[in-house]
């Protein structure tokens, strides 16, 4: 009997995570500036709290279920490539409805996707797009203004560049980041 109650509670929780934030999202317009600590700010914080619940991410993270769960809560993932464990359980976001993740991208753990810009008096939500075939190490914060495209490797705790040219086909390490080759000759030594 206790198991049935537990299952019912989590089914209700899963429905709440899918439905309530979508309804609240109707009150927010991407790019529009809202005052801080008002109704819209409370709405955005509620969306963030509900869609970042640890239970469901711990249940699906580091498994093939994580792609389906992230799509379920609102991530845009065109043509996803299932690699078995595309995201760890510690992925975070401000709002999932403005996140687009390219096909073949893998995240080790601890990716924070920033979809809001906050000042001392106001905030706005903005779309954030991550390119295809990227690899993220641990504890990377990806801002909406990130200047990266496809096939980038982000080392652990790497700062994502927000100015200059769009980086593609390179590795990025450090804060501030410096470029390293994405692949080296030894990577193809056994291709034959």
């Amino acid at each position: 009997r206790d198991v049935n109650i537990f299952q019912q509670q989590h089914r209700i929780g899963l429905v709440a995570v899918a439905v309530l934030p979508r309804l609240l999202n109707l009150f927010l317009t991407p790019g529009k500036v809202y005052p801080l600590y008002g109704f819209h700010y409370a709405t955005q914080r509620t969306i963030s709290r509900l869609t970042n619940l640890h239970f469901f991410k711990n249940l699906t993270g580091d498994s093939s279920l994580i792609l389906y769960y992230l799509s379920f809560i609102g991530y845009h993932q065109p043509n996803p490539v299932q690699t078995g464990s595309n995201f760890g359980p510690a992925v975070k976001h401000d709002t999932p409805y403005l996140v687009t993740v390219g096909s073949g991208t893998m995240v080790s753990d601890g990716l924070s996707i920033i979809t809001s810009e906050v000042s001392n008096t106001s905030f706005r939500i903005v779309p954030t797009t991550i390119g295809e075939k990227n690899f993220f190490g641990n504890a990377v914060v990806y801002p909406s203004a990130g200047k990266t495209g496809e096939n980038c490797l982000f080392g652990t705790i790497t700062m994502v560049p927000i100015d200059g040219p769009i980086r593609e086909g390179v590795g990025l390490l450090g804060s501030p980041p410096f470029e390293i080759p994405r692949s080296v000759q030894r990577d193809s030594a056994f291709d034959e």
Side-chain angles (χ1 to χ4, degrees):
R1 180 183 165 128
D2 290 338
V3 172
N4 288 338
I5 293 171
F6 179 77
Q7 289 174 344
Q8 288 174 346
Q9 288 173 342
H10 285 90
R11 284 186 195 130
I12 292 169
L14 194 58
V15 170
V17 164
V19 175
L20 290 177
R22 288 182 199 282
L23 293 174
L24 292 172
N25 193 49
L26 297 174
F27 295 102
L28 299 174
T29 304
K32 185 175 180 181
V33 178
Y34 296 105
L36 209 56
Y37 305 118
F39 169 76
H40 293 96
Y41 183 73
T43 300
Q44 192 275 326
R45 296 303 305 149
T46 303
I47 291 170
S48 179
R49 284 188 186 106
L50 287 173
T51 57
N52 278 309
L53 290 176
H54 294 292
F55 176 80
F56 296 112
K57 287 191 291 183
N58 286 338
L59 184 67
T60 59
D62 286 332
S63 76
S64 59
L65 295 174
I66 191 68
L67 283 181
Y68 301 107
Y69 176 71
L70 293 176
S71 292
F72 179 72
I73 64 170
Y75 278 48
H76 302 284
Q77 301 178 78
N79 305 316
V81 174
Q82 183 60 259
T83 62
S85 177
N86 291 59
F87 288 85
V91 63
K92 296 187 296 189
H93 51 264
D94 296 317
T95 176
Y97 309 111
L98 298 176
V99 175
T100 302
V101 179
S103 178
T105 292
M106 290 187 61
V107 177
S108 197
D109 208 10
L111 176 64
S112 297
I113 303 170
I114 308 300
T115 54
S116 66
E117 296 174 349
V118 182
S119 73
N120 61 343
T121 60
S122 61
F123 83 100
R124 68 180 180 162
I125 56 173
V126 290
T128 301
T129 302
I130 297 173
E132 295 182 357
K133 299 176 186 156
N134 288 313
F135 177 82
F136 289 86
N138 295 325
V140 176
V141 176
Y142 198 94
S144 61
K147 292 283 191 173
T148 62
E150 296 181 8
N151 193 27
C152 289
L153 176 137
F154 299 85
T156 298
I157 315 175
T158 294
M159 184 177 87
V160 176
I162 58 172
D163 58 2
I166 294 178
R167 280 66 165 198
E168 289 189 331
V170 297
L172 297 168
L173 294 177
S175 294
F178 59 91
E179 294 183 13
I180 61 170
R182 177 67 165 99
S183 62
V184 293
Q185 190 174 11
R186 74 166 189 266
D187 291 346
S188 59
F190 296 105
D191 286 350
E192 298 172 6

